[in-house]
């Protein structure tokens, strides 16, 4: 008996074929989702073999501006290179080069873990400028560089932007619980809450708090003068709490001189607001660990008290972590209106002898970073890096007397330090209230 209807077996084959096609499409979509890439280079520290002038430094190639800022090497010389420090070793899947008219005809993309030994993941001898989107790269490294060996013009090499991408999700994931070996982000600032609220467009601390929120840091460090002018409990409740108070449970504060002005008594408002957070070990100075880092919070209002100095020496003697960061209010070195404060020199000597790596301060209302130096203000690779971050919301101060080893100073700016701590290194950015990167500091290895 014949029939025009399909035989059951062919019909089943048709169904299975359709399902196979559908599953293949799903798998391709999943594969694409898994292959989503993250921009790793923007705002990271960069360096180069040369620069045409101060307006064409290497950092201009990782600032996110594709049209008006650029890095340019010296003209007429090969080879030349530009490299970016990603902060940690990362898998590299793609590099995009946005060339200016002065492009590379022959160049390589190379990766390295130590900026000394390089592995080539891409090379060409027929570059033609414009935009080079180099996909499907396979390699990993902390440092990535473009190494040019033949210029395409008689000029030098010039890039509007040097973008490095790594595999992973483009959506930031929640900050994981820190364990030894992890890299983590900390938000830091001093001199924070003026007596104003978000209803005033000139009020800065609501805007700096918004940047902390965007960072989603592991914890928050404050470098004193948390609340102006007299740090009363009512002021903390009416101003600080409305903005930076949202991070209270993960804040690791220290006091500044304004916390001593409370008519109700020294630190009455400060301790009343923060509670045990202000004195986690029973004193206004304390220490704690995260990963391979040992953090020391000090009270610079009482550096003349033997008890705190003896505690610091004992704390450092007991430390087992490989990296040390300390923070307090009054900076030993400052180019601002308050200037250098010698009250911190004995503490610097103790920390220097212990091989500490980083000091964070406030008090002067500006941003400043110093190259590694010793307590006598002498450049010293074994010295500490000081970052002054007194731009959390109080009215800015000017720069009055530039100090030795000062690498960068920004006045009339509000912002938050975005500190990145790796197991054996640290780096940072200053994030302005508009969300832009105002400065990127070098990456430093722990001593």
């Amino acid at each position: 008996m014949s029939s025009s209807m399909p035989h059951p077996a062919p019909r089943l084959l048709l169904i299975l074929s359709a399902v196979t096609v559908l599953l293949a499409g799903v798998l391709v979509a999943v594969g694409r989702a898994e292959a989503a890439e993250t921009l790793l280079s923007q705002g990271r520290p960069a360096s180069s073999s040369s620069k045409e002038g101060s307006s064409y430094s290497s950092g201009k190639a990782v600032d996110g501006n594709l049209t008006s800022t650029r890095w340019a090497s010296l003209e007429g010389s090969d080879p030349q290179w530009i490299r970016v420090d990603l902060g940690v070793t990362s898998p590299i899947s793609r590099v995009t080069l946005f060339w200016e008219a002065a492009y590379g005809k022959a160049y390589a993309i190379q990766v390295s873990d130590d900026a000394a030994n390089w592995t080539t993941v891409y090379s060409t001898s027929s570059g033609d400028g414009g935009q080079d989107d180099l996909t499907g790269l396979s390699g990993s490294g902390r440092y990535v560089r473009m190494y040019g060996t033949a210029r395409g013009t008689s000029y030098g090499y010039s890039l509007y932007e040097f973008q490095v991408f790594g595999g992973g999700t483009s959506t930031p994931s929640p900050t994981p619980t820190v364990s030894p070996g992890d890299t983590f982000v900390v938000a830091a600032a001093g001199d924070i809450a003026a007596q104003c609220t978000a209803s005033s467009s000139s009020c800065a601390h609501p805007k700096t708090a918004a940047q902390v929120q965007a960072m989603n840091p592991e914890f928050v460090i404050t470098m004193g003068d948390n609340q102006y002018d007299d740090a009363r409990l009512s002021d903390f409740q009416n101003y600080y709490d409305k903005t930076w108070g949202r991070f209270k449970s993960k804040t690791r504060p220290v006091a500044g001189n304004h916390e001593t002005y409370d008519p109700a008594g020294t630190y009455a408002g400060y301790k009343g607001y923060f509670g045990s957070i202000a004195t986690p070990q029973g004193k206004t100075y304390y220490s704690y660990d995260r990963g391979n880092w040992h953090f020391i919070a000090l009270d610079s209002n009482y550096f003349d008290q033997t008890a705190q100095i003896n505690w610091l020496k004992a704390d450092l003697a007991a430390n087992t972590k490989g990296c040390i960061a300390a923070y307090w209010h009054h900076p030993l070195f400052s180019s601002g209106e308050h200037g250098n404060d010698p009250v911190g020199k004995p503490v610097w000597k103790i920390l220097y002898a212990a091989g500490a790596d980083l000091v964070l301060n406030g008090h002067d209302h500006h941003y400043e970073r110093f190259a590694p130096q010793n307590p006598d203000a002498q450049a010293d690779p074994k010295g500490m890096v000081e970052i002054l971050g007194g731009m959390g919301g109080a009215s800015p101060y000017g720069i009055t007397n530039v100090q030795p080893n000062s690498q960068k100073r920004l006045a009339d700016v509000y912002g938050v330090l975005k500190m990145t701590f790796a197991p054996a290194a640290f780096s940072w950015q200053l994030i302005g209230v508009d969300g832009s990167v105002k400065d990127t500091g070098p990456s430093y290895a722990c001593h």
Side-chain angles (χ1 to χ4, degrees), residues 180-382:
D182 286 337
T183 295
F184 57 98
V185 170
V186 174
D191 306 273
I192 298 170
Q195 292 177 320
C196 61
T197 66
S199 62
S200 170
S201 60
S202 63
C203 191
H205 63 94
K207 300 171 185 177
T208 56
Q211 297 310 315
V212 177
Q213 184 78 29
M215 291 176 198
N216 187 28
E218 169 67 14
F219 54 91
V220 176
I221 284 174
T222 69
M223 289 91 79
D225 283 3
N226 304 276
Q227 177 61 61
Y228 285 82
D229 284 324
D230 299 329
R232 303 169 191 251
L233 178 58
S234 59
D235 291 335
F236 269 105
Q237 294 168 336
N238 291 331
Y239 306 112
Y240 183 97
D241 189 62
K242 298 295 191 293
T243 56
W244 284 64
R246 73 188 69 166
F247 322 114
K248 182 177 176 180
S249 64
K250 61 179 180 180
T251 297
R252 309 291 185 265
V254 295
N257 52 290
H258 278 265
E259 273 79 17
T260 70
Y261 301 160
D262 187 348
T266 296
Y267 297 161
Y270 173 68
K271 292 181 178 179
Y273 176 72
F274 283 113
S276 62
I277 293 172
T279 56
Q281 295 168 6
K283 305 290 184 181
T284 53
Y285 44 88
Y286 55 95
S287 65
Y288 54 97
D289 295 331
R290 287 291 187 276
N292 192 40
W293 280 85
H294 184 61
F295 291 88
I296 306 173
L298 296 171
D299 186 345
S300 57
N301 292 312
Y302 297 103
F303 273 172
D304 58 345
Q305 290 189 352
T306 303
Q308 183 173 195
I309 299 301
N310 289 341
W311 173 88
L312 174 61
K313 292 176 180 177
D315 181 82
L316 288 166
N319 172 51
T320 60
K321 301 300 182 180
C323 305
I324 301 172
Y327 58 100
W328 62 86
H329 188 58
H330 302 85
L332 177 57
F333 305 111
S334 172
S335 301
E337 294 180 20
H338 285 308
N340 294 355
D341 197 326
V343 69
K345 190 166 185 177
V347 171
W348 260 73
K349 288 182 176 180
I350 295 168
L351 290 166
Y352 175 78
D357 304 285
L358 171 67
V359 170
L360 300 174
N361 299 126
H363 197 43
D364 258 331
H365 301 182
H366 71 278
Y367 166 79
E368 186 168 12
R369 57 177 164 91
F370 291 84
Q373 58 186 323
N374 65 28
D376 297 316
Q378 297 171 332
D380 185 346
K382 296 181 180 179

Side-chain angles (χ1 to χ4, degrees), residues 39-44 62-64 84 161-164 429 437:
L39 178 59
L40 304 174
S41 54
Q42 188 165 313
R44 298 298 308 169
V62 290
D63 63 0
V84 60
E161 200 72 5
F162 177 27
Q163 295 182 335
V164 179
Q429 296 176 322
V437 177

Side-chain angles (χ1 to χ4, degrees), residues 14-32:
L14 287 172
I15 294 172
L16 289 173
S17 177
V19 170
T20 301
V21 171
L22 178 61
L23 286 173
V26 170
L27 290 173
V28 168
V30 170
R32 287 174 177 168

Side-chain angles (χ1 to χ4, degrees), residues 164-176:
V164 179
F165 297 83
T169 174
S170 59
T171 303
S173 57
T175 302

